[in-house]
């Protein structure tokens, strides 16, 4: 009995799974773009579908509601940016892989579209109980991932007293600098602050000699 014939995919035809992944990626990226441009109130699934070039039915199949779509979009882009920053750190020459370089990369994360989109979610969730129920656990997850990512980038040992708090203070600092950037170009002041914080972290973490007493933290200069 002859073996059954199995049809081969047409030459050059993209498999269904890849097409689906590409469509989802277009939706998620378009959603972040719209959220940053128009804010939560101006973002709709219809506008996002049109921006992504995806049918309304296909969009609803994957993301039934605006909240589902927006939260998935921010989480997707955050993961992409973390991967990009990890590669950027790995590509730095050994002599350039400093605390200050890591802080600069973190600042890019908190002044980019991920932060701007997440900020829109936070503000909207403040007065929307249903949205808050979705955003709160998402934000806790994102916060834990960002903290873990920062520990890895800094090479920090959280078993040492106070190190976890220093990492969290670093994230609070760059988050605040990201918020300031939403009101205008704050890059010059941000650079001076990060210069000083890098010195503070290097002294406090003392990563080169964890078993010795850390040198005194340098006094911070007044930042205009």
């Amino acid at each position: 009995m002859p073996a059954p014939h199995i049809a081969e995919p047409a030459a050059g035809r993209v498999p269904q799974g890849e097409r689906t992944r590409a469509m989802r990626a277009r939706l998620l990226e378009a959603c972040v773009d719209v959220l940053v441009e128009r804010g939560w109130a101006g973002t709709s699934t219809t506008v996002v579908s049109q921006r992504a070039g995806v049918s309304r039915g296909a969009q609803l199949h994957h993301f039934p509601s605006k909240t589902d779509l927006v939260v998935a979009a921010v989480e997707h882009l955050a993961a992409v940016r973390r991967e990009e920053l990890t590669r950027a750190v790995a590509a730095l020459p050994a002599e350039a892989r400093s605390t200050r370089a890591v802080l600069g990369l973190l600042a890019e994360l908190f002044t980019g579209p991920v932060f701007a989109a997440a900020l829109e979610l936070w503000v909207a969730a403040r007065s929307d109980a249903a949205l808050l129920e979705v955003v709160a656990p998402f934000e806790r997850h994102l916060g834990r991932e960002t903290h873990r990512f920062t520990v890895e980038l800094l090479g920090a040992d959280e078993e040492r007293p106070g190190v976890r708090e220093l990492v969290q203070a670093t994230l609070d600092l760059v988050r605040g600098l990201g918020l300031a950037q939403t009101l205008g170009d704050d890059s010059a002041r941000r650079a001076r602050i990060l210069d000083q914080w890098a010195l503070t972290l290097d002294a406090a973490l003392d990563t080169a000699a964890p078993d010795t007493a850390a040198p005194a933290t340098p006094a911070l200069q007044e930042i205009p």
Side-chain angles (χ1 to χ4, degrees):
M1 180 177 179
H5 174 70
I6 300 177
E8 295 289 338
R13 184 174 182 180
V14 179
Q16 177 63 36
E18 290 185 21
R19 293 202 302 273
T20 299
R21 284 191 293 273
M23 182 195 68
R24 283 176 60 91
R26 290 202 310 274
L27 277 169
L28 296 174
E29 290 163 8
C31 181
V32 170
D33 289 344
V34 173
L35 189 61
V36 171
E37 291 173 11
R38 303 189 179 198
W40 172 260
T43 298
S44 69
T45 53
T46 300
V47 171
V48 172
S49 297
Q50 291 172 347
R51 176 76 65 92
V54 172
S55 72
R56 173 83 166 141
Q59 176 261 303
L60 289 173
H61 174 72
H62 292 284
F63 304 103
S65 72
K66 171 181 171 179
T67 298
D68 292 333
L69 176 57
V70 170
V71 171
V74 175
E75 190 166 22
H76 163 77
L77 188 56
V80 169
R81 287 295 290 133
R82 282 196 300 271
E83 292 174 4
E84 290 174 350
L85 291 178
T86 299
R87 289 195 296 270
V89 170
L92 286 173
E95 63 274 14
R97 201 169 301 172
S98 63
T99 299
R100 179 61 179 86
V102 170
L103 291 179
L105 291 171
L106 286 172
E108 288 181 18
L109 179 65
F110 281 90
T111 53
V114 174
F115 181 75
L119 185 60
E120 291 294 334
L121 278 180
W122 300 340
V123 173
R126 186 185 66 82
S127 56
D128 186 328
L131 180 60
L132 182 61
E133 287 185 6
V134 177
V135 171
F138 158 72
E139 174 55 28
R140 286 193 294 270
H141 168 71
L142 187 60
R144 286 192 298 268
E145 285 295 299
T146 305
H147 185 101
R148 178 187 60 78
F149 171 75
T150 303
V151 168
E152 292 176 359
L153 289 184
L154 290 172
D157 179 8
E158 289 198 301
E159 295 298 317
R160 297 176 60 202
V163 169
R164 180 175 181 80
E165 289 74 17
L166 278 170
V167 173
Q168 193 57 58
T170 298
L171 290 173
D172 288 344
L173 172 66
V174 292
R175 185 180 293 112
L177 293 173
L179 185 60
Q181 181 67 21
T182 64
L183 301 177
D185 183 6
D186 195 44
S187 55
R189 187 181 73 100
R190 181 169 65 249
R192 294 195 299 273
I193 291 173
L194 293 179
D195 287 343
Q196 289 290 340
W197 186 244
L199 295 174
T200 300
L201 274 182
D202 281 338
L205 293 175
D206 191 21
T207 54
D211 295 326
T212 62
T217 301
L220 291 179
Q221 299 175 2
E222 182 178 353
I223 305 295

